[in-house]
Amino acid sequence: MSKSNNAHGKKAQQGDKIWAVMALVSGLGAAKITSKVLSSGWQASTGRKPPANPADPDVRLVDAVIWSAVTGATVALVRMFAQRRAANYYVKSVGRLPKQLEKDQS
């Protein structure tokens, strides 16, 4: 392998590590913000705090189911959108998708 190919390979590996950090940070940030917004919305609409632990038998089943479904779906969607934005930024910066997001060739 030539020096330029080796340098390119190391740069690509660094870029993929940077992507992993970007994906993690954007996902965690999105989840944290979404959780706060949903908690505020729950409290405003029900007058109660959201269930801290939906698995707790003392939490009403209907509240546990609704809270789990709404938070799970919303956090997953917001996290996906945040990571897509991070991926677009990455592509603009590096010129390619990170290996973790390369298109499936099957």
Side-chain angles (χ1 to χ4, degrees):
M1 180 184 285
S2 70
K3 284 186 180 182
S4 65
N5 283 344
N6 193 21
H8 178 71
K10 285 183 182 180
K11 188 174 181 181
Q13 284 179 334
Q14 281 181 321
D16 289 339
K17 288 178 185 176
I18 290 169
W19 163 251
V21 171
M22 286 175 63
L24 177 66
V25 169
S26 66
L28 290 174
K32 183 77 169 170
I33 291 168
T34 302
S35 180
K36 285 186 178 194
V37 169
L38 289 175
S39 292
S40 296
W42 178 277
Q43 194 154 2
S45 65
T46 66
R48 300 183 314 273
K49 289 184 178 181
N53 182 359
D56 181 350
D58 291 335
V59 173
R60 288 182 19 192
L61 181 60
V62 68
D63 288 347
V65 169
I66 292 171
W67 179 250
S68 296
V70 169
T71 57
T74 305
V75 167
L77 285 170
V78 171
R79 181 176 173 223
M80 184 265 308
F81 282 117
Q83 289 180 339
R84 287 176 64 97
R85 289 196 59 153
N88 285 333
Y89 176 79
Y90 183 92
V91 169
K92 287 178 185 176
S93 300
V94 177
R96 66 169 181 81
L97 283 171
K99 286 186 180 184
Q100 298 91 327
L101 293 182
E102 287 179 349
K103 291 181 174 57
D104 186 9
Q105 300 299 319
S106 54

